[in-house]
Structures are given as structure tokens and as C-alpha cells.
Amino acid sequence: MGDVAMTVPVLRALIQQHPELKLTVVSRPFFKPFFDGIPNVHFFAVDLQKRHKGFFGLLRLYSDLKKLDIDAVADLHNVLRSKVVRSLFALSGKKVAFTDKGRAEKKALTSLTNKVFKPLKPMVERHVETFKKLGFSFDLNHPNFPPKAVLSDEILKITENKNQNWVGIAPFAQYEGKVYPLDLMQKVIDELAKNNSNKIFLFGGGNEEIKQLNQLQNNHSNVIVLAGKLKLKQELDVISSLDVMLSMDSGNAHLAAMLGVKVITLWGDTHPFAGFSPFNQPLENCITADREKYPLLPTSIYGNKKVEGYEEAMRTILVESIVKKINFILNH
């Protein structure tokens, strides 16, 4: 989800600086709301369950896309499926380019021996380079974001009208190494909830996460669990109205960033130097685990590798520092 969300500000900037272009975004149907409202963008939903499943499905996908009279292909995903499709376009004489994900540099950054600890090129900049290979120069220096969403009556039944600071918290991530310990997150929520000027919205998905979010809500009247109550498009509308989002290194951070919301991210086994920090957010909004105590960090790009003795690394991120950062943003 985060990978797809990171392409949104790039495509916005591309269209803004090249309004003559028409773009076809090819992705899973779930992600269509991400691209709503971007001028000149047509969304093509891939059917990976039936029509476009397997190798012959990719041939059908190529055939379906060819009918759209595409002039060039930018492969922003650079995985096996997209490589097959872009190769077919290249064989037919179309110009193609793909995003170099810097895998060797990332391997050096996360290596447990001979680590090369330095900031890598952000993924959004790598995507810009992909379009430059196709002849479209542009930059991300003056991003434009969609206007704040008008919340529907259905959403307002849950959120009520906005007359407080709206703080979003997304406490989960795909891998455990990226999740702030829930006992500490409880303290963050309790502390923020003490201030009646704040209303806190908890984001997540799936029955197990909803159960945990209900516990984190802890009977605070100004803490609302949104998980399981809204569709994706509705959640995006709420996110666009937030004053700040607190997230792990996860998709929710990128959803908020693509909508122009201020984002604070927490980093355990992973690190913003890998190039996945949320778009247009200052580095000081990325709060990382203590590298003096845990010098091998980051140990992973995606948080899926466990290193013995590093299970408690995220506990070095203090509750007070998170609350202080949120309050600073709310007060400025």
C-alpha cells in the first residue's frame, strides 16, 4: 500500500508540470481511490484473480493495455509481473523505463557487517528519474495536494463535526519489528486524550487489530476506533482532515503524506535513510530507535528480519518525545 501511495505525489507533480500528458495507472482495484481527482489520470484495474492471473494473464493484460494506444511505459514497481509487461511493450517498439530500487545500496545499509550508514535516494526521487528517462523532466519542489475532503453525513455520524485537534494514530505495521510496543502506545494515547482539545482516531484493519484498538481506546470519550467502520475512500477523507498522523513505518504514513497531512513516524528495525520516509515531511518527524544502544540498526528494509537482542529496540523511543512532537505540531 505504501509503495503505491508514494507514487501519488509524483504523478501529481508530473501532470502539474506536463498538463499535456495522459496517464494510465495500472494497479489493483483497491488502490483506485488514491488517484481520484488527479487530472488526466485514468485508472486501469488489474484482475489478478481471473483475467490477468498467471503468465497467460499477463499476455492478456498486455493485450488489454495495447488497445489504449500507450506511447511509453514507466514501470514504478519493477517486479516480475511488471517486468514481463514492460518487456512486451519494449519488443513492440514502445519506449520503456523502470525505477531502480537501489537494492545493493539498501543491502549495504542493513548489513550486520561492514554497514554503510548513509541516507539513500528517496523512492519518490527514484520515480522522478524513471520519467526523466522517458523524456519528462519535472521536480517535487512545490508539491500540490488535494483540498481537504468534505465529510459525508455517514462519516460525520462517527467523527462528528471538527471542533478539536484531530490526531490520527495508526499503531500497526506488516511486521512486528516496525510496531511500537502497545503498552507504550497506550501511554501515548492516554496522555493525548487528557487534553479535551484533542480528538484521536485509531486506524487499522482486521479483527485482531480492531480488538487491540478497542483496548487502546481505553474508554476515552475523545478516542474513536475507525477500523472496520469506513470504506477506504471514507478513511482517506478523514485522513485528509487530520492535523497530524502518528504512524509506524507503514502505509498509513504514506496515505497521510500524499494528502498533505503532517506525519510523525516511528522507526524500529527499519530507518528513514532507506528512502521510505513519508513525502514532504522533515526528517525530524521521523523518530528512530537509539542507534547508540543498537548500533546494527537498521537491520531490515521492511522490518521482516529478526536480529537476536534487538527485540526491544523500539522501547528506546520515549513516550514523552512522541507526545512532545505531536503537541509541537498541533501548537504550530
Side-chain angles (χ1 to χ4, degrees), residues 175-300:
Y175 296 107
E176 194 180 330
K178 297 202 291 187
V179 176
Y180 193 56
L182 291 184
D183 62 308
L184 298 183
M185 183 56 77
Q186 182 71 71
K187 292 179 180 179
V188 171
I189 293 168
D190 291 345
E191 194 60 36
L192 292 170
K194 283 179 187 175
N195 185 345
N196 289 324
S197 297
N198 296 333
K199 182 172 274 191
I200 298 130
F201 297 100
L202 304 183
F203 293 83
N207 292 333
E208 188 54 40
E209 287 188 8
I210 290 171
K211 205 182 297 178
Q212 291 174 311
L213 290 174
N214 285 330
Q215 290 175 341
L216 290 171
Q217 191 266 342
N218 201 19
N219 294 320
H220 294 298
S221 61
N222 57 342
V223 178
I224 295 172
V225 176
L226 286 183
K229 296 176 183 175
L230 298 172
K231 295 173 184 168
L232 175 63
K233 178 67 173 72
Q234 294 172 315
E235 280 204 1
L236 292 175
D237 287 349
V238 175
I239 290 172
S240 86
S241 299
L242 296 176
D243 295 293
V244 62
M245 169 69 92
L246 171 65
S247 174
M248 307 303 103
D249 166 23
S250 70
N252 280 288
H254 300 293
L255 296 184
M258 79 181 191
L259 295 171
V261 174
K262 291 174 181 174
V263 184
I264 296 167
T265 40
L266 307 183
W267 303 74
D269 292 352
T270 60
H271 198 279
F273 275 14
F276 294 106
S277 60
F279 175 69
N280 201 45
Q281 306 292 325
L283 189 59
E284 57 263 28
N285 283 7
C286 299
I287 306 177
T288 58
D290 186 349
R291 288 195 74 250
E292 286 191 16
K293 191 170 182 182
Y294 295 99
L296 296 180
L297 293 174
T299 57
S300 172

Side-chain angles (χ1 to χ4, degrees), residues 32-270:
K32 184 181 184 300
F34 290 13
F35 303 93
D36 287 352
I38 307 178
N40 296 1
V41 170
H42 164 69
F43 188 88
F44 182 97
V46 179
D47 180 7
L48 294 175
Q49 303 303 313
K50 293 181 182 176
R51 179 164 178 77
H52 304 128
K53 184 179 180 180
F55 177 73
F56 292 106
L58 292 179
L59 297 180
R60 281 191 289 273
L61 176 58
Y62 165 67
S63 176
D64 291 344
L65 293 174
K66 201 166 63 165
K67 293 170 188 170
L68 302 178
D69 199 23
I70 288 166
D71 297 304
V73 174
D75 178 3
L76 304 183
H77 202 23
N78 197 12
V79 294
L80 185 57
R81 278 197 194 105
S82 58
K83 285 177 184 177
V84 170
V85 175
R86 83 171 188 240
S87 298
L88 292 170
F89 273 105
L91 289 170
S92 72
K94 301 296 182 184
K95 198 168 184 181
V96 303
F98 60 90
T99 295
D100 173 11
K101 293 188 171 180
R103 290 186 173 96
E105 301 162 72
K106 288 172 182 169
K107 189 175 181 181
L109 177 67
T110 57
S111 175
L112 303 185
T113 56
N114 303 317
K115 182 184 292 291
V116 182
F117 184 70
K118 66 176 184 179
L120 307 184
K121 189 175 292 176
M123 281 304 299
V124 289
E125 292 291 348
R126 292 179 185 273
H127 293 328
V128 169
E129 288 182 351
T130 302
F131 285 104
K132 284 182 178 174
K133 293 174 199 168
L134 296 175
F136 303 106
S137 288
F138 68 108
D139 61 61
L140 302 171
N141 295 336
H142 304 286
N144 73 322
F145 298 101
K148 301 293 183 189
V150 177
L151 302 184
S152 67
D153 290 341
E154 191 179 353
I155 294 172
L156 289 172
K157 280 179 187 173
I158 298 169
T159 65
E160 299 182 339
N161 288 315
K162 185 172 181 179
N163 50 23
Q164 295 158 288
N165 299 317
W166 279 18
V167 179
I169 298 182
F172 301 112
Q174 186 175 3
Y175 296 107
E176 194 180 330
K178 297 202 291 187
V179 176
Y180 193 56
L182 291 184
D183 62 308
L184 298 183
M185 183 56 77
Q186 182 71 71
K187 292 179 180 179
V188 171
I189 293 168
D190 291 345
E191 194 60 36
L192 292 170
K194 283 179 187 175
N195 185 345
N196 289 324
S197 297
N198 296 333
K199 182 172 274 191
I200 298 130
F201 297 100
L202 304 183
F203 293 83
N207 292 333
E208 188 54 40
E209 287 188 8
I210 290 171
K211 205 182 297 178
Q212 291 174 311
L213 290 174
N214 285 330
Q215 290 175 341
L216 290 171
Q217 191 266 342
N218 201 19
N219 294 320
H220 294 298
S221 61
N222 57 342
V223 178
I224 295 172
V225 176
L226 286 183
K229 296 176 183 175
L230 298 172
K231 295 173 184 168
L232 175 63
K233 178 67 173 72
Q234 294 172 315
E235 280 204 1
L236 292 175
D237 287 349
V238 175
I239 290 172
S240 86
S241 299
L242 296 176
D243 295 293
V244 62
M245 169 69 92
L246 171 65
S247 174
M248 307 303 103
D249 166 23
S250 70
N252 280 288
H254 300 293
L255 296 184
M258 79 181 191
L259 295 171
V261 174
K262 291 174 181 174
V263 184
I264 296 167
T265 40
L266 307 183
W267 303 74
D269 292 352
T270 60

